[in-house]
Amino acid sequence: MFSVSLCLCVKEKPVKAIVLFGSPGSGKGTQAKMLTECLGVPHISTGDMLRDSIRHGDQLGTAVVARMQSGALVSDEVVNRLVEERISRPEAGSGFVLDGYPRTLAQAERLCEWLDGRGIREVVIHLAVDYNVIIARLTGRRQCPRCGTLYNIGSHPPQVDGACDLDGEKLVIRDDDSESVIRERLAAYERQTHPVLQFFLKAGRRVVEVDASYDPPSAVFQKVSQALEPR
Ligand code: ADP
């Protein structure tokens, strides 16, 4: 296992917030899980939180289900509120990993205000992946509806076709992983999310680009860990 310390002490203040940034299918979720296991800090995924709400059929889930199924983004107000509630909890006190947030300029501005107001430094890890690799990854993606484990029929198939290795549950294709919806999600990324990277760069925030096109997750994680080392 790699050892990464979250007290990175980049210049004067320690880095507590890791922002994983990249298009759908860039492997943010996988890297976030590896980081949080290694660092013992919460993994805050807006996509997972929204899907949980839909599964539970609560008010939030009912309000966002149509937008999520079409591949469009949920409103800034909703996700800002969700994230602020989570990063304010005591368990996020020694740090957290954000996955899928911020995704618009308004979200990025809000997050930066929140972090600056508390003197918390962040590092943005940009997982850069080739467009065709992303299409292949997303169309081949299968997920266990019970434990959430992800597979890919091309690069990481389950041992038994169509069944989860861990609990045998029948694997499913996420509603938003059909090809037309994938193209909409990628278009939403280009339109609304990619400019967020420019915002972080222009604001002089720390952004580290990691090439995540072809390496297996463990090798990408090694590069991510290196990016977290003090400069
Ligand atoms: P991916 O990164 O593979 O698109 P996510 O699980 O991060 O998957 O997001 C799935 C969907 O959840 C998005 O297409 C969008 O509808 C919604 N969503 C997640 N995070 C945000 C966010 N920060 N702002 C707006 N909508 C979001």
Coordinates of all heavy atoms in Angstrom, one line a residue, residues 22-25 28 45-48 50-51 67-68 71-76 79 99-104 107 138 141 174 176 185, ligand 1:
G22 N -12.1 15.7 -13.4 CA -12.0 14.9 -14.7 C -13.3 14.6 -15.3 O -14.3 14.7 -14.6
S23 N -13.3 14.3 -16.6 CA -14.6 14.0 -17.2 C -15.2 12.8 -16.7 O -14.6 12.0 -16.0 CB -14.4 13.9 -18.7 OG -13.8 12.7 -19.0
P24 N -16.5 12.6 -17.0 CA -17.1 11.3 -16.7 C -16.3 10.2 -17.2 O -15.7 10.3 -18.3 CB -18.5 11.3 -17.4 CG -18.8 12.7 -17.5 CD -17.5 13.4 -17.7
G25 N -16.0 9.1 -16.5 CA -15.2 8.0 -17.0 C -13.7 8.2 -16.8 O -13.0 7.4 -17.3
K28 N -12.4 9.1 -11.5 CA -12.4 9.9 -10.3 C -12.8 9.0 -9.1 O -12.2 9.1 -8.0 CB -13.4 11.1 -10.4 CG -13.0 12.1 -11.4 CD -14.0 13.3 -11.3 CE -15.4 13.0 -11.5 NZ -15.8 12.7 -12.9
S45 N -18.8 12.2 -2.8 CA -19.2 12.1 -4.2 C -20.6 12.6 -4.4 O -21.5 12.1 -3.8 CB -19.1 10.7 -4.6 OG -19.9 10.4 -5.8
T46 N -20.7 13.7 -5.1 CA -22.1 14.3 -5.3 C -22.9 13.3 -6.1 O -24.1 13.2 -5.8 CB -22.0 15.7 -6.0 OG1 -21.0 15.6 -7.0 CG2 -21.7 16.8 -5.1
G47 N -22.3 12.6 -7.1 CA -23.1 11.6 -7.9 C -23.7 10.5 -7.0 O -24.8 10.2 -7.0
D48 N -22.8 10.0 -6.1 CA -23.3 8.9 -5.1 C -24.4 9.5 -4.2 O -25.4 8.8 -3.9 CB -22.1 8.4 -4.3 CG -21.2 7.5 -5.0 OD1 -21.5 7.1 -6.2 OD2 -20.1 7.2 -4.5
L50 N -26.5 11.9 -4.7 CA -27.7 12.1 -5.5 C -28.4 10.8 -5.8 O -29.6 10.6 -5.7 CB -27.5 12.9 -6.8 CG -27.0 14.3 -6.5 CD1 -26.4 15.0 -7.8 CD2 -28.2 15.2 -6.0
R51 N -27.6 9.8 -6.2 CA -28.1 8.4 -6.5 C -28.7 7.8 -5.3 O -29.8 7.1 -5.3 CB -27.1 7.5 -7.1 CG -26.9 7.7 -8.6 CD -26.0 6.7 -9.2 NE -24.6 6.9 -8.8 CZ -23.8 7.7 -9.3 NH1 -24.1 8.5 -10.3 NH2 -22.5 7.9 -8.8
R67 N -33.4 15.1 -14.3 CA -32.2 15.7 -14.8 C -31.1 14.7 -14.9 O -30.3 14.6 -15.8 CB -31.8 16.9 -14.0 CG -32.7 18.1 -14.1 CD -32.1 19.3 -13.5 NE -31.1 19.9 -14.2 CZ -31.2 20.6 -15.3 NH1 -32.4 20.8 -15.8 NH2 -30.2 21.2 -16.0
M68 N -30.9 13.9 -13.8 CA -29.8 12.9 -13.8 C -30.0 11.9 -14.9 O -29.0 11.5 -15.6 CB -29.7 12.3 -12.5 CG -29.0 13.2 -11.5 SD -28.7 12.4 -10.0 CE -27.4 11.2 -10.4
G71 N -28.8 13.1 -18.2 CA -27.3 13.5 -18.3 C -27.0 14.9 -18.0 O -25.9 15.4 -18.1
A72 N -28.1 15.7 -17.7 CA -27.9 17.1 -17.4 C -27.4 17.3 -16.0 O -27.6 16.4 -15.1 CB -29.2 17.9 -17.6
L73 N -26.9 18.5 -15.7 CA -26.4 18.7 -14.3 C -27.6 19.1 -13.4 O -28.6 19.8 -13.9 CB -25.4 19.8 -14.3 CG -24.0 19.5 -15.0 CD1 -23.1 20.7 -14.7 CD2 -23.4 18.2 -14.4
V74 N -27.5 18.8 -12.1 CA -28.4 19.2 -11.1 C -28.1 20.7 -10.7 O -26.9 21.1 -10.9 CB -28.3 18.2 -9.9 CG1 -29.0 18.7 -8.7 CG2 -28.8 16.8 -10.4
S75 N -29.1 21.4 -10.2 CA -28.8 22.8 -9.9 C -27.7 23.1 -8.9 O -27.5 22.3 -8.0 CB -30.1 23.5 -9.4 OG -30.2 23.3 -8.1
D76 N -27.0 24.2 -9.1 CA -25.9 24.5 -8.2 C -26.3 24.6 -6.8 O -25.6 24.2 -5.9 CB -25.3 25.9 -8.6 CG -24.6 25.8 -10.0 OD1 -24.0 24.7 -10.3 OD2 -24.6 26.8 -10.7
V79 N -26.6 21.1 -5.1 CA -25.3 20.4 -4.8 C -24.5 21.2 -3.9 O -23.8 20.6 -3.0 CB -24.5 20.0 -6.1 CG1 -25.1 18.8 -6.8 CG2 -24.4 21.1 -7.0
D99 N -15.3 14.4 -5.1 CA -15.3 13.6 -6.4 C -16.6 14.1 -7.1 O -17.7 13.8 -6.6 CB -15.3 12.1 -6.0 CG -15.9 11.2 -7.1 OD1 -16.0 11.6 -8.2 OD2 -16.1 10.0 -6.7
G100 N -16.4 14.7 -8.2 CA -17.6 15.2 -9.0 C -18.1 16.6 -8.6 O -19.1 17.0 -9.0
Y101 N -17.3 17.3 -7.8 CA -17.7 18.6 -7.3 C -16.4 19.4 -7.1 O -15.4 18.8 -6.5 CB -18.4 18.5 -6.0 CG -18.8 19.9 -5.5 CD1 -20.1 20.4 -5.8 CD2 -18.0 20.6 -4.6 CE1 -20.4 21.7 -5.3 CE2 -18.3 21.9 -4.2 CZ -19.6 22.4 -4.5 OH -19.9 23.6 -4.0
P102 N -16.2 20.6 -7.5 CA -17.2 21.4 -8.2 C -17.2 21.1 -9.7 O -16.2 20.7 -10.3 CB -16.7 22.9 -8.0 CG -15.2 22.7 -7.9 CD -15.0 21.4 -7.2
R103 N -18.4 21.3 -10.3 CA -18.6 21.0 -11.7 C -19.0 22.2 -12.6 O -19.1 22.1 -13.8 CB -19.7 20.0 -11.8 CG -19.3 18.6 -12.4 CD -20.5 17.8 -12.2 NE -20.6 16.6 -13.0 CZ -20.3 15.4 -12.5 NH1 -19.9 15.2 -11.3 NH2 -20.5 14.4 -13.3
T104 N -19.3 23.4 -11.9 CA -19.6 24.6 -12.6 C -18.8 25.7 -12.0 O -18.3 25.6 -10.9 CB -21.1 24.9 -12.5 OG1 -21.4 25.2 -11.2 CG2 -22.0 23.8 -13.0
Q107 N -20.2 26.7 -8.6 CA -19.8 25.7 -7.6 C -18.4 26.0 -7.1 O -18.1 25.9 -5.9 CB -20.0 24.3 -8.0 CG -21.5 23.9 -8.3 CD -21.6 22.5 -8.9 OE1 -20.7 21.7 -8.8 NE2 -22.8 22.2 -9.5
L138 N -17.1 4.0 -20.6 CA -18.4 4.2 -20.0 C -19.4 3.3 -20.6 O -20.3 2.8 -20.0 CB -18.9 5.7 -20.3 CG -18.1 6.7 -19.5 CD1 -18.5 8.1 -19.9 CD2 -18.3 6.5 -18.0
R141 N -19.2 0.0 -18.9 CA -19.3 0.0 -17.4 C -20.5 -0.8 -16.9 O -21.6 -0.7 -17.4 CB -19.3 1.4 -16.9 CG -19.2 1.6 -15.5 CD -18.6 2.9 -15.1 NE -19.5 4.0 -15.2 CZ -19.2 5.2 -14.8 NH1 -18.1 5.5 -14.3 NH2 -20.1 6.2 -14.9
R174 N -25.8 1.5 -15.4 CA -26.4 2.7 -14.8 C -27.3 3.3 -15.9 O -26.9 3.4 -17.1 CB -25.3 3.7 -14.4 CG -25.2 3.8 -12.9 CD -23.9 4.5 -12.5 NE -23.9 5.9 -13.1 CZ -22.9 6.7 -12.9 NH1 -21.9 6.4 -12.1 NH2 -22.9 7.9 -13.4
D176 N -27.7 6.3 -16.7 CA -27.0 7.4 -17.5 C -25.8 6.9 -18.2 O -25.0 7.7 -18.7 CB -26.8 8.6 -16.6 CG -25.9 8.3 -15.4 OD1 -25.6 7.1 -15.2 OD2 -25.5 9.3 -14.7
R185 N -23.6 13.8 -21.3 CA -22.7 14.0 -20.1 C -21.4 14.6 -20.5 O -20.9 15.5 -19.8 CB -22.6 12.8 -19.3 CG -23.8 12.4 -18.5 CD -23.8 11.0 -18.0 NE -22.7 10.6 -17.2 CZ -22.2 9.4 -17.0 NH1 -22.7 8.4 -17.7 NH2 -21.2 9.1 -16.2
Ligands
ADP1 P1 -19.9 10.9 -13.8 O1 -18.7 11.7 -13.3 O2 -19.5 9.6 -14.3 O3 -20.7 11.7 -14.8 P2 -21.3 11.3 -11.3 O4 -21.7 10.1 -10.5 O5 -20.2 12.2 -10.8 O6 -20.9 10.6 -12.7 O7 -22.6 12.2 -11.7 C1 -23.7 11.6 -12.2 C2 -24.8 12.7 -12.4 O8 -25.1 13.3 -11.2 C3 -24.3 13.9 -13.3 O9 -24.5 13.6 -14.7 C4 -25.3 15.0 -12.8 O10 -26.6 14.8 -13.3 C5 -25.3 14.7 -11.3 N1 -24.2 15.5 -10.6 C6 -23.2 14.9 -9.9 N2 -22.4 15.9 -9.4 C7 -22.9 17.1 -9.8 C8 -22.5 18.4 -9.6 N3 -21.4 18.7 -8.9 N4 -23.3 19.4 -10.1 C9 -24.4 19.1 -10.8 N5 -24.8 17.8 -11.1 C10 -24.1 16.8 -10.5

